[in-house]
Amino acid sequence: MTMQRWTWRSAAGLLAALTLGLAPWAAARAELRVVACEPEWAALTTELAGALAQVYSATTAQQDPHQVQARPSLIAAVRRADLLVCTGAELEAGWLPLLQRQAGNPAIQPGRPGLFEAAAQVELLGVPARLDRADGDVHAAGNPHIQTDPRRIARVAAALARRLAELDPPHAADYERRHADFAQRWQAAITRWERSAAPLKGLPIVVQHQGFPYLEQWLGLRQVAALEPKPGLEPSSAHLQAVLATLQREPARLILRAAYNDGRGSMWLAERTRLPVVALPYTVGGSEAARDLFGLFDDTLARLLKAVQP
C-alpha cells in the first residue's frame, strides 16, 4: 500500500468519507490508528501492519524533523491515535512533548505502550561526552538519524512488530507473518545493496549536517569535514574557509546533504572545489524514487554511485 500523509485503505473509503462528511479515522476500518513522527516510520508501520493500521505521518521528507509545528490537524490525529511511532533520542524534543500535552491522549504518553521510540531499539552513535548548549544541537542519547542504516531499520522492525501485536492481540499472528515476510525481503535487499556499494568503501565525503553517521558506518564512508560548525548551526564565512583549507590537505569526493537541507552552503563549497553535491532523499518521499523504504535505499545508493563514476 502506498503511504501518503493519510494512508487510506482504499480510494473508495476516501470518497465515502468525503461524501458523508466523516473524519478520516471514522471512515477507516483498520484496527489501529498510528501516527508516525517521520515518514520512514510511517512506511515501516505500513509494511508491518498493512490494512490493519491507518497510518498518518506527522512530517514529510521536505521538513526538518527537529522543527515541526503542532498544527490543529496533527493534534487531532494524535488525540485519536492508538500508537505514536517516533525516532526518539530527542529528535522531536522541540515539538513532541507539546503535541502530547495538547492532544491529551493518555495512551501515547511517555512510558505507555502507545509510545514507540525507534532509537531505543538500536545502538546509537555520537553519544556526547558532555552536554553543553554551546556545542550546538546535540542529543544526549546520541545521534538520532538512524534511518540511514537498513540494518538498524531491521532491528526496529522486529521491535515494532511486537508492539503492534501487543496493542492488537487478535491480529498478533498477522503482524508476525508480515514481519517475517518483510524481514526476508529486507535482508535480501541489504545483501544486494552492500554488494553494489563496494566501490563506496573508504570514500571521503563532506556533509552539510551531521545526519549521516549511520550511513557512513554502514557503507564505510569517511567524513572529512562538516559544513555546520556545530550541529544545527549555519556555517559562518570563517568556518567555510576552514573547510576549504581542510579539503586542500585532505581532498573529498563529494558533498552530501539531505533533501530538506538548505543547499546554499553546499553549493558555495561546490563552486569553489568542483565537488559534486549529492542530495540524498534521507527518508521516504525525499525523491521521486524513494516511495517506500526499499526505494529509499535503492535511490540513495544510485545517487552515490553515479556521483563517483569516472
Side-chain angles (χ1 to χ4, degrees):
M1 180 183 298
T2 300
M3 191 278 298
Q4 298 177 346
R5 290 296 300 277
W6 280 101
T7 300
W8 293 86
R9 295 188 66 190
S10 67
L14 172 60
L15 180 60
L18 294 175
T19 302
L20 298 174
L22 298 176
W25 293 125
R29 296 179 180 175
E31 299 296 328
L32 292 177
R33 298 166 176 170
V34 180
V35 174
C37 288
E38 289 82 27
E40 61 269 24
W41 308 132
L44 182 59
T45 304
T46 300
E47 288 277 0
L48 299 174
L52 295 175
Q54 187 181 23
V55 184
Y56 177 83
S57 181
T59 59
T60 72
Q62 304 305 321
Q63 288 179 283
D64 182 347
H66 298 86
Q67 303 170 5
V68 176
Q69 286 190 337
R71 58 191 183 279
S73 60
L74 179 55
I75 295 171
V78 174
R79 182 175 297 133
R80 294 188 289 271
D82 302 300
L83 176 62
L84 189 58
V85 182
C86 299
T87 297
E90 299 181 349
L91 176 63
E92 304 96 351
W95 55 276
L96 185 58
L98 174 64
L99 182 63
Q100 290 170 302
R101 285 196 301 273
Q102 292 190 343
N105 179 353
I108 51 82
Q109 300 302 319
R112 302 287 296 176
L115 176 61
F116 178 91
E117 293 187 338
Q121 317 305 323
V122 299
E123 178 190 4
L124 299 185
L125 303 175
V127 179
R130 66 168 195 169
L131 291 177
D132 190 331
R133 294 305 301 172
D135 293 333
D137 187 16
V138 295
H139 301 276
N143 192 302
H145 303 296
I146 61 174
Q147 83 283 0
T148 58
D149 180 355
R151 301 167 304 177
R152 283 177 166 81
I153 287 181
R155 291 193 279 276
V156 173
L160 181 55
R162 291 193 294 271
R163 185 64 59 87
L164 290 166
E166 178 184 350
L167 293 173
D168 183 17
H171 294 101
D174 295 305
Y175 298 119
E176 182 179 0
R177 177 182 53 79
R178 291 189 66 93
H179 171 251
D181 174 67
F182 171 78
Q184 183 178 32
R185 291 183 290 118
W186 194 245
Q187 186 54 53
I190 290 175
T191 300
R192 172 170 54 84
W193 291 325
E194 291 180 344
R195 185 166 54 244
S196 68
L200 301 174
K201 189 174 181 59
L203 186 74
I205 62 170
V206 179
V207 299
Q208 178 155 334
H209 174 65
Q210 297 283 7
F212 301 99
Y214 300 96
L215 182 70
E216 294 166 18
Q217 183 192 60
W218 176 45
L219 298 179
L221 307 178
R222 183 166 58 85
Q223 184 186 134
V224 174
L227 285 175
E228 291 182 350
K230 297 176 182 177
L233 298 181
E234 291 297 320
S236 63
S237 297
H239 178 73
L240 291 173
Q241 292 297 335
V243 171
L244 271 180
T246 298
L247 294 178
Q248 289 176 348
R249 297 191 304 271
E250 193 173 1
R253 294 283 302 280
L254 51 83
I255 305 166
L256 288 188
R257 71 174 179 85
Y260 74 84
N261 286 146
D262 183 332
R264 288 176 293 182
S266 56
M267 290 307 300
W268 183 93
L269 186 62
E271 290 170 358
R272 286 156 180 80
T273 60
R274 298 184 181 277
L275 291 174
V277 177
V278 181
L280 297 182
Y282 205 56
T283 185
V284 173
S287 69
E288 180 64 26
R291 297 181 180 181
D292 58 18
L293 287 169
F294 292 88
L296 168 62
F297 286 95
D298 282 341
D299 195 40
T300 294
L301 290 176
R303 288 169 184 254
L304 289 171
L305 290 168
K306 181 179 179 181
V308 298
Q309 284 180 345

